[in-house]
Amino acid sequence: MNIRKKIYEIIGPGYLNDDGVCSQLYHVSMSVVIGVSILPLMFREHYSIFWYFDIIPAIIFVTDYILRWITADYELKKGWVSFVIYPFTFMAIIDLLSILPTIHLLSPTFKTARITRLLRILRVVKFIRYYEPLEIIMAVIKRQGRILWTVFSLAAFYIFITALIMFNAEEEINPGTGDYLFHSFFDAIYWAACTLTTVGYGDIYPVSQIGRFISMISAFVGVAIVALPSGIITAGYMDELRAKREQKMARKLLKDPKQLEQKE
């Protein structure tokens, strides 16, 4: 077997080789490495051992990046062009940005702590590649992107309209603060978004009768709008699981044609 193809079967999507011990071990190991690399973000203090938590994962991430680059043709299936466009793919960019924070340990000129901490957070996105349920969710979002974008546009439009109505309807002084409910239109947008998602922090709430009536209507409609993407993603998730199950069965039949003869 081609060495590069074997490497891709190990580092590629987990469903390519469900029964492969090496593939499963690689994905679990990479998940552990990602977890270790973001562990320092959970502390305000900087301990000396965190230096190893940064350097060692960075070396592993660089190796993983190179291996994925040299097997890009198997992933993108576009011949030699795959090697050119791979660095510009979403996950390749995330991989590269997740390596950059380590530069501040190697170069004293790159010591912007806030930027490096923010870039380390991007390493969480790498879990998508090694945790199959997240990978399936991303595939569903990509496949149902047009429908989800329509729902998102509807939600954004509803938030804007509700905020506009409430901003002009709620003109009474809040007795608790002695000021207007909304200091600016952004406050109304914030309130409408919280109401749409049924979060209800309680920091901004209507005091007039008409404001409360609008708030109730907004909450009822918001439940329906929020439920739309949930149903779309759930249905897409089940379809994706079914498709992957069929792919897994097809690969098993290709490896063992006798099973196909027995079924016939």
Side-chain angles (χ1 to χ4, degrees), residues 165-179:
I165 294 173
M166 182 63 82
F167 185 73
N168 289 276
E170 189 68 29
E171 295 182 339
E172 296 185 10
I173 299 296
N174 190 334
T177 62
D179 204 348

Side-chain angles (χ1 to χ4, degrees), residues 6-226:
K6 182 63 177 178
I7 292 175
Y8 175 69
E9 288 183 353
I10 295 175
I11 69 175
Y15 59 82
L16 282 178
N17 195 1
D18 298 314
D19 301 323
V21 176
C22 293
S23 179
Q24 293 179 8
L25 182 61
Y26 184 84
H27 283 71
V28 172
S29 300
M30 287 300 297
S31 298
V32 173
V33 171
I34 294 171
V36 169
S37 70
I38 63 177
L39 188 62
L41 295 176
M42 303 175 189
F43 297 86
R44 292 293 184 188
E45 301 81 6
H46 181 76
Y47 300 99
S48 58
I49 193 173
F50 288 166
W51 187 87
Y52 298 99
F53 286 3
D54 203 348
I55 289 294
I56 296 175
I59 295 173
I60 296 174
F61 292 156
V62 170
T63 304
D64 179 76
Y65 183 86
I66 294 173
L67 292 176
R68 293 184 182 281
W69 198 349
I70 65 177
T71 58
D73 51 332
Y74 291 105
E75 175 69 23
L76 303 179
K77 298 179 174 59
K78 294 184 179 180
W80 64 270
V81 180
S82 303
F83 302 106
V84 178
I85 64 178
Y86 175 76
F88 303 99
T89 59
F90 175 74
M91 287 305 300
I93 294 174
I94 293 296
D95 290 341
L96 186 60
L97 291 176
S98 67
I99 297 170
L100 289 180
T102 309
I103 296 178
H104 86 280
L105 296 177
L106 306 178
S107 175
T109 60
F110 193 84
K111 283 186 176 293
T112 309
R114 183 175 295 274
I115 294 178
T116 57
R117 288 180 71 87
L118 291 176
L119 289 178
R120 280 196 187 96
I121 295 176
L122 290 178
R123 293 175 179 177
V124 178
V125 182
K126 292 169 67 68
F127 275 116
I128 297 174
R129 180 181 284 146
Y130 304 106
Y131 187 49
E132 190 171 350
L134 287 178
E135 185 182 19
I136 296 175
I137 288 292
M138 292 304 297
V140 171
I141 293 175
K142 184 177 180 180
R143 181 172 298 181
Q144 305 291 342
R146 187 172 181 178
I147 299 176
L148 291 173
W149 176 253
T150 302
V151 174
F152 174 78
S153 301
L154 174 63
F157 178 75
Y158 181 76
I159 288 174
F160 175 78
I161 293 298
T162 306
L164 188 63
I165 294 173
M166 182 63 82
F167 185 73
N168 289 276
E170 189 68 29
E171 295 182 339
E172 296 185 10
I173 299 296
N174 190 334
T177 62
D179 204 348
Y180 287 109
L181 176 64
F182 303 117
H183 293 282
S184 65
F185 186 66
F186 177 78
D187 289 338
I189 291 287
Y190 167 76
W191 169 86
C194 291
T195 304
L196 174 70
T197 55
T198 67
V199 174
Y201 290 117
D203 53 343
I204 299 179
Y205 54 89
V207 294
S208 66
Q209 295 299 325
I210 187 171
R212 291 175 178 176
F213 180 73
I214 294 172
S215 179
M216 288 189 298
I217 295 176
S218 177
F220 278 118
V221 178
V223 171
I225 294 179
V226 170

